Amino acid sequence: MKVKNEKNSKYKNLVFLCGARDFHAMDWYRRALEELPNINIYILTDLIKGENFKKLITSKDIVFKLIIIDNLLLRDQSSLGNYWRHFIKIIVFPLQVYLIRKFSKSFPDSIFYAHAMYYIWLAKFAGVEYVGRPQGNDIFTKPFKSRIFKFLSIKGINNAKAIIVDSFLMYESIQKFTQINNVFVIPNGIDLGLIKKLKQNSKEFKRKYIVSIRALYENYRIKDILISRSLSKESKSMPIQFIYPFYDKIYKNDLKNLFIKEDKDISRLDKSSLYSILYNTKLVISIPTKDSFPRSVFESIFCGCIVAISYNSYYDHLPTSIKSRIILVNPNDENWFINAVNETETLLETPFKPCEKALKLFDQKNTFKEMAKIIFN
């Protein structure tokens, strides 16, 4: 069933103002293509790949280019590369604003979906109508580290038609530095249709893998996973498959001596490949110091995995059926890894059966419909 809201909307065009290599932004873009047949849907971007990121757009996508900065960036992903990218984005900011204004004149009756805070700033200074979706660090850390970032973010958030976040934690964090009423909580959805299809098309799954599914960055405590594994005679030879959307080159190099030869460095995967691995996985590990509402955790659960997490407040808002597949671990306990592995074997004896609340909360068709209401109302 397609989204109906756009039919009576004054907007003829939905413009995704974002980095076209951002897999979350592109997921929402793909949902829009499926669910909004009466709207012209475009991508307006400054990033296509660069820094060893995989190109996500195809020749079928309608992409308009700002100043593409791919070739100005460092070759690999790193903290230094992040600083350099931010510097380049600041330098070209006025020109990008000009190009967005020029684009908006050629495409009147457009509503912009600005994905991540930088693009919210661009939309604000370009004077276009926009809905913004900031990301975790845009809300949790950056406004409290930089007065300039905080100032620009308040301007961008206050000028938005609406702001969409994926968790109550982000909602509460926004209220700490700007009091506004147009903030809505809509989680990143899951492709439950694809998960179901893969299950039906596969004869048998053998749950044997242990998978780390978060970025190779300090916040995600990958080093803690490897250290805890090494501290138990029983677990030190257990291989881990590392699936991650991005990485810090320096942090990744620091982990080298902790890997064992049986570990697999897989990096980023498309959804079908990711779900296929998860269907053969028994335990997924996700223990960041701070987390919002991690889609990869819930994708793992819907694929039948047990997931070990460190406590973050999103856990309190989860349906019971989801909590039943989660092991809460304390990364300060040196035995947490082997304890989680042992508990996993017991939990897997009971098949996962999502409750109605879980299906409603996580189905990406439902989450996109909710987002479309906000965009077009």
Side-chain angles (χ1 to χ4, degrees):
M1 183 177 178
K2 304 301 180 184
V3 175
K4 302 295 184 182
N5 301 70
E6 84 281 7
K7 285 188 177 181
N8 299 319
S9 173
K10 66 178 181 178
Y11 305 113
K12 297 179 181 177
N13 311 303
L14 173 59
V15 183
F16 279 73
L17 180 60
C18 60
R21 70 184 196 182
D22 185 320
F23 64 96
H24 282 309
M26 291 299 98
D27 261 359
W28 287 117
Y29 165 75
R30 302 288 172 208
R31 299 293 76 72
L33 290 177
E34 291 178 3
E35 302 293 334
L36 301 175
N38 302 311
I39 291 287
N40 301 312
I41 301 171
Y42 308 125
I43 298 171
L44 184 60
T45 189
D46 62 341
L47 282 166
I48 294 176
K49 47 181 184 176
E51 296 176 304
N52 247 336
F53 276 83
K54 181 182 177 181
K55 185 177 179 180
L56 300 178
I57 57 175
T58 71
S59 58
K60 295 180 180 179
D61 298 320
I62 303 177
V63 181
F64 292 89
K65 297 178 181 179
L66 300 172
I67 296 173
I68 301 298
I69 64 172
D70 292 351
N71 292 332
L72 301 175
L73 305 179
L74 302 186
R75 182 176 297 178
D76 292 303
Q77 302 164 43
S78 65
S79 298
L80 176 62
N82 288 339
Y83 288 121
W84 178 250
R85 184 185 343 102
H86 296 330
F87 174 73
I88 294 296
K89 285 191 168 190
I90 291 169
I91 295 298
V92 300
F93 189 91
L95 290 173
Q96 307 290 40
V97 168
Y98 167 77
L99 291 174
I100 294 169
R101 287 177 180 170
K102 186 177 179 181
F103 175 91
S104 67
K105 291 177 181 179
S106 300
F107 293 87
D109 304 320
S110 293
I111 180 71
F112 288 72
Y113 168 78
H115 191 93
M117 191 63 77
Y118 176 75
Y119 300 100
I120 292 173
W121 298 349
L122 286 176
K124 185 264 183 285
F125 286 97
V128 298
E129 284 193 84
Y130 64 95
V131 170
R133 189 166 189 131
Q135 302 302 286
N137 284 339
D138 295 337
I139 301 301
F140 294 141
T141 56
K142 294 177 183 178
F144 305 101
K145 288 184 176 181
S146 167
R147 290 183 179 180
I148 295 175
F149 190 99
K150 181 178 180 179
F151 173 79
L152 291 174
S153 298
I154 291 172
K155 292 286 186 183
I157 289 172
N158 287 346
N159 202 66
K161 181 185 173 187
I163 292 293
I164 302 171
V165 294
D166 68 9
S167 70
F168 290 101
L169 181 61
M170 288 185 71
Y171 176 91
E172 292 165 357
S173 296
I174 285 178
Q175 301 304 319
K176 290 179 181 178
F177 62 89
T178 178
Q179 297 285 328
I180 58 172
N181 297 319
N182 60 336
V183 180
F184 302 87
V185 179
I186 301 178
N188 289 308
I190 297 172
D191 194 343
L192 298 186
L194 178 58
I195 288 175
K196 184 178 179 180
K197 181 180 178 181
L198 287 173
K199 184 176 182 179
Q200 291 173 339
N201 292 343
S202 299
K203 294 181 180 179
E204 185 180 359
F205 298 107
K206 296 180 180 178
R207 296 207 175 270
K208 55 185 178 179
Y209 301 138
I210 299 173
V211 170
S212 168
I213 205 167
R214 306 305 292 274
L216 301 190
Y217 263 73
E218 187 173 0
N219 175 62
Y220 299 103
R221 295 196 280 208
I222 307 303
K223 189 173 186 179
D224 293 53
I225 297 172
L226 294 170
I227 289 174
S228 183
R229 176 182 67 175
S230 69
L231 294 177
S232 167
K233 290 182 180 179
E234 189 180 350
S235 65
K236 66 180 182 181
S237 61
M238 291 181 178
I240 301 174
Q241 302 205 18
F242 292 88
I243 301 171
Y244 49 93
F246 50 90
Y247 63 92
D248 181 308
K249 185 178 181 181
I250 296 174
Y251 184 75
K252 186 177 180 180
N253 286 338
D254 286 343
L255 301 175
K256 282 184 177 179
N257 292 334
L258 295 170
F259 289 124
I260 60 176
K261 64 179 181 178
E262 291 81 10
D263 289 335
K264 285 191 176 181
D265 184 352
I266 297 175
S267 188
R268 179 181 284 192
L269 293 172
D270 61 71
K271 279 191 178 182
S272 293
S273 300
L274 171 63
Y275 293 166
S276 293
I277 287 180
L278 291 178
Y279 262 122
N280 288 284
T281 295
K282 60 181 179 180
L283 174 63
V284 170
I285 302 173
S286 174
I287 58 165
T289 54
K290 180 162 283 190
D291 218 355
S292 181
F293 205 80
R295 180 173 62 176
S296 58
V297 165
F298 310 121
E299 287 176 315
S300 302
I301 290 172
F302 274 93
C303 287
C305 309
I306 306 302
V307 184
I309 69 167
S310 50
Y311 175 77
N312 277 277
S313 61
Y314 74 82
Y315 176 82
D316 298 329
H317 301 279
L318 296 177
T320 303
S321 64
I322 300 296
K323 285 183 177 180
S324 71
R325 311 299 282 184
I326 289 176
I327 301 171
L328 284 175
V329 302
N330 179 5
N332 294 321
D333 176 4
E334 65 178 31
N335 295 315
W336 71 261
F337 183 95
I338 187 58
N339 290 340
V341 171
N342 291 335
E343 189 174 348
T344 293
E345 301 298 339
T346 300
L347 292 177
L348 282 174
E349 293 175 4
T350 304
F352 174 57
K353 293 182 179 180
C355 60
E356 287 299 318
K357 184 179 178 181
L359 292 171
K360 183 177 180 181
L361 179 63
F362 291 106
D363 190 338
Q364 66 182 12
K365 291 185 178 293
N366 293 331
T367 56
F368 183 80
K369 287 174 184 177
E370 292 301 310
M371 193 164 86
K373 290 177 184 177
I374 295 168
I375 293 172
F376 294 108
N377 280 349

